[in-house]
Every structure is written in C-alpha cells, then in structure tokens.
Amino acid sequence: MNNNLRKFCVAPMMGYTTPHARKLYRILSKKAFLFTEMISSKTILHAKNRDLIIENNHQNPIALQVGGAEYKDLIACAKIAQDYNYNEINLNVGCPSKAVQKGNFGACLMKKKKLVRDCLSAMANNTNIEVSMKCRIGIGNKFNYDFFHEFIDEIIKSGIKIIYVHARNAILNGLNPKKNRTIPPLNYDFVYRIKKNYPYIQFILNGGINSLDDAYKLSKKFDGVMLGRLIKVDPFCLSNIDKLFFNQTNNNNIYQNIIIEYFDYIKNRIGHDSIFRLLSPLLHIFFSTPNGKNIKSEINLNMKNYEIDKLESIFLEFIGKQKVVI
Ligand SMILES: Cc1cc2nc3c(=O)[nH]c(=O)nc-3n(C[C@H](O)[C@H](O)[C@H](O)COP(=O)(O)O)c2cc1C
C-alpha cells in the first residue's frame, strides 16, 4: 500500500464535496486525496441519476463515502465504487445527524462495533477495492480511551488498514451536526495513542486543523491529515498542497487558467445540473473580499439568466483586478 497517498485528504462534506467541487479541487491539486459527500447505500443503489451523483471524472485518488449498515447493500455499493474506478470505499461511522441515526448508520454505529466489523469485512471480502472507515473517538460527553481502543480493536478484525478519525466525540442527543463539529472538544492524543497500539494501521487525523502550516506539522506526527472546513471556505489553498506535502510542482499558479479550465468543465454540464451547484465551489472566492457582496448579486443575476460567458468574464476580471491570492 502507498503510505503517502493519504498524506493530505479533503474531508467528505455533504453539500460541498460535490462532483463539481472535486473537479475544482483536482485542478488545484493533483495529489490531494479526495472524498465524495456521504451518500446512503440506498441512494447509491437505487437513485435514477446515480451517474450524476457518484461520477468519478478522473478525480483519483478518491474515496466514495457510503452511509449504511446492511451487508448486502454495502457489498453492492463497494462493487459499484470499484466499477466507477474509485480507489476506496469508506464507511461513515461519524455522522451524528438525527436522520442518519434514524436510518441506523453514522456515528451511532460506534455502539455496534461487531456490526461495523462485519459490514467492513463483507465489503472487503467480496471486492478488490480498498475498504476504510471514518469515525469519531467516542460517543457522549466523556472521553473514554478504553471505549475507543475496544472499538478499534474490533474493527481491525475486519482486515481494513485505513481509519480516518474525527478526533472528538459525537453527542447524539441535543446537538445538531454543526454543533457536533465544534462543541465536543478535540483530543488528538487519542489518535496518537491508538496509532501506538496498532502501528500497522494507517490513522488519518481529522478535526479542527485550521491552517496548512498546522496540517503540515501534524502530517509528520500522524499517517496523514484530513481537512474539511478550511477547504470549504478556501478551496484555493489546495494550490499549495502538491508542493508542500509532496514536493511536486504543478502549473496552477496562473489563476486565470484555473477559472478558464473550470468554466470549460461547467459549460459541458449546463442543463445536466443546476447552475448553482456548478458554480458554488467558486463562489467562496468572494467571501472575504470587501466588495464581495456587490459581485455576488451580479453573479446571482447572471446565474438566473444562465449567462455563462458573462459569468466567466466576471470571475476572470475579479481575479485579475483583486490579484486574489489563491
Ligand atoms: C458542511 C459539512 C458537511 C459534512 N458532511 C460530512 C459527510 O458527508 N461525511 C462525513 O464523514 N463527514 C462530514 N462532515 C464532517 C467532516 O468530514 C469533518 O470530519 C469535520 O468537518 C471536521 O473536520 P474540519 O475541522 O477540518 O472541518 C461534514 C462537515 C461539514 C462542515
């Protein structure tokens, strides 16, 4: 297994790590390991527009994240992931939302370690694709290393070798997913300790990494790092990853070219997906700029009218004028 492949990962984020956002990420970095959003096993199996939802348009290395807990469904999903040329299928054992709990998957599965073990081994034994898991460090208000250790001990009996850990507990009652990403305290030490217990497993650290400098430092201490919200608000920081983490240069420092390449991609998709979904990965450029609001309303107007060439000019002009540092 390539131990460097997951040195820098972009976390799965529902509503954000769409196929389109991933296209932008891939223009910005050839090396970052990408994730889809979490997609439920039922959606993967039965959605009429499956191609649109899980397409992997040469975005490797990339994992398909699935939510579910039924062996048969998960095996079928793993086979689909393999057919769509994903590098990995990842089981979500970290989402605390009420809807997901109701479906009996996500973080509540940390209380059912044998079921998770069996789901993972079912996928691994019936396909050739790499199988992995993303979990929290515990459930509820209190830290409990023994609970985490026993959970991981059971999980690795499935034979999986890669575990992404969002290093905070999930609180299943009373906190929505957003608060579950800020209120439970971080505890990187648990991830450090579990790695010492299982040195042959890759543990990728996730949670609260707010700068590339921190990410780089932590990547020396852990098998890899996974970042979510930093990429969500500033996807353009990905243009630094190949150099910083992999010592490889890429040609993406001509920022206008990034926009042109992304618009070429969009133009082929107009009519197949909503213009908002297509453009939303770029809209973050305007978030922290003083006149961002005005431009956003101009963009909104042009989006309504499907003025794609006009939109491209606005983006290019903005970037040229602002000398946006991306
Ligand atoms: C908008 C949003 C959507 C998310 N959706 C998912 C998801 O689909 N699957 C998942 O495992 N985690 C999801 N997460 C959690 C992230 O993957 C990550 O674990 C969390 O944000 C902590 O990392 P960060 O501090 O770098 O953001 C989501 C996070 C955000 C902000």
Side-chain angles (χ1 to χ4, degrees):
M1 195 198 305
N2 179 349
N3 285 340
N4 273 337
L5 198 65
R6 297 164 184 81
K7 215 160 149 187
F8 185 95
C9 307
V10 179
M13 286 181 283
M14 277 175 107
Y16 289 91
T17 50
T18 61
H20 315 313
R22 295 185 324 250
K23 172 69 187 180
L24 179 66
Y25 301 164
R26 191 48 83 223
I27 295 171
L28 290 158
S29 163
K30 305 293 172 246
K31 304 287 285 182
F33 192 92
L34 303 182
F35 269 73
T36 64
E37 317 163 73
M38 179 184 72
I39 309 172
S40 77
S41 55
K42 302 281 180 218
T43 302
I44 293 177
L45 296 180
H46 306 299
K48 285 202 182 92
N49 56 347
R50 179 164 78 201
D51 272 352
L52 265 187
I53 299 171
I54 70 161
E55 71 167 300
N56 167 20
N57 195 1
H58 307 293
Q59 293 170 342
N60 305 70
I62 182 169
L64 172 66
Q65 192 189 57
V66 60
E70 290 169 32
Y71 314 134
K72 268 194 183 159
D73 285 358
L74 290 173
I75 293 170
C77 289
K79 286 184 175 156
I80 290 172
Q82 198 171 297
D83 291 345
Y84 278 71
N85 199 30
Y86 279 87
N87 297 75
E88 174 181 322
I89 184 149
N90 174 269
L91 185 67
N92 182 315
V93 187
C95 178
S97 89
K98 279 272 173 284
V100 160
Q101 282 184 60
K102 224 170 158 193
N104 194 24
F105 57 97
C108 65
L109 288 178
M110 285 193 79
K111 293 188 208 156
K112 298 182 181 169
K113 55 189 178 189
K114 292 201 160 79
L115 173 63
V116 180
R117 178 202 63 197
D118 290 346
C119 288
L120 293 166
S121 52
M123 289 192 280
N125 293 340
N126 288 284
T127 59
N128 295 320
I129 193 168
E130 190 81 51
V131 177
S132 69
M133 175 188 72
K134 178 167 179 273
C135 65
R136 300 272 183 142
I137 53 172
I139 298 287
N141 286 307
K142 292 206 177 103
F143 286 140
N144 180 345
Y145 185 75
D146 290 342
F147 173 87
F148 182 50
H149 188 181
E150 282 161 22
F151 174 73
I152 295 294
D153 195 64
E154 196 61 48
I155 292 311
I156 60 177
K157 291 179 189 158
S158 69
I160 68 161
K161 297 278 183 288
I162 303 161
I163 301 178
Y164 304 83
V165 187
H166 183 178
R168 42 166 67 91
N169 283 3
I171 296 175
L172 298 178
N173 291 314
L175 286 191
N176 65 23
K178 194 167 180 197
K179 289 190 174 147
N180 253 301
R181 292 193 281 269
T182 48
I183 292 181
L186 289 162
N187 189 333
Y188 293 171
D189 189 49
F190 274 22
V191 188
Y192 192 70
R193 282 168 71 185
I194 205 77
K195 174 68 186 178
K196 291 252 174 284
N197 290 135
Y198 303 100
Y200 49 94
I201 303 291
Q202 279 192 42
F203 289 97
I204 312 294
L205 181 74
N206 169 242
I209 307 173
N210 293 324
S211 75
L212 289 190
D213 274 356
D214 288 351
Y216 185 68
K217 281 181 203 139
L218 288 164
S219 75
K220 300 279 167 211
K221 207 172 157 193
F222 296 89
D223 292 317
V225 288
M226 170 183 263
L227 278 73
R229 284 164 289 184
L230 182 70
I231 310 300
K232 174 173 164 259
V233 297
D234 181 16
F236 292 91
C237 75
L238 287 172
S239 65
N240 299 308
I241 298 306
D242 296 3
K243 178 93 188 85
L244 185 60
F245 285 80
F246 300 93
N247 206 18
Q248 284 194 8
T249 45
N250 57 23
N251 295 325
N252 61 11
N253 47 359
I254 303 166
Y255 305 132
Q256 267 93 346
N257 286 355
I258 295 171
I259 301 296
I260 291 168
E261 191 175 342
Y262 190 64
F263 267 87
D264 282 348
Y265 164 83
I266 289 179
K267 283 172 192 170
N268 286 323
R269 279 159 206 258
I270 295 279
H272 298 288
D273 207 340
S274 90
I275 192 154
F276 178 77
R277 259 171 65 87
L278 288 165
L279 275 179
S280 71
L282 279 183
L283 295 178
H284 291 284
I285 298 179
F286 306 104
F287 271 18
S288 51
T289 54
N291 58 349
K293 249 189 176 167
N294 294 344
I295 290 237
K296 263 202 227 162
S297 44
E298 201 185 339
I299 287 172
N300 266 330
L301 192 72
N302 282 293
M303 283 201 316
K304 270 191 202 140
N305 299 330
Y306 281 77
E307 293 282 1
I308 198 75
D309 290 333
K310 186 88 204 300
L311 285 161
E312 184 173 8
S313 321
I314 295 173
F315 276 86
L316 286 171
E317 194 185 333
F318 181 84
I319 286 195
K321 262 199 209 146
Q322 303 278 323
K323 306 228 174 341
V324 176
V325 185
I326 54 180

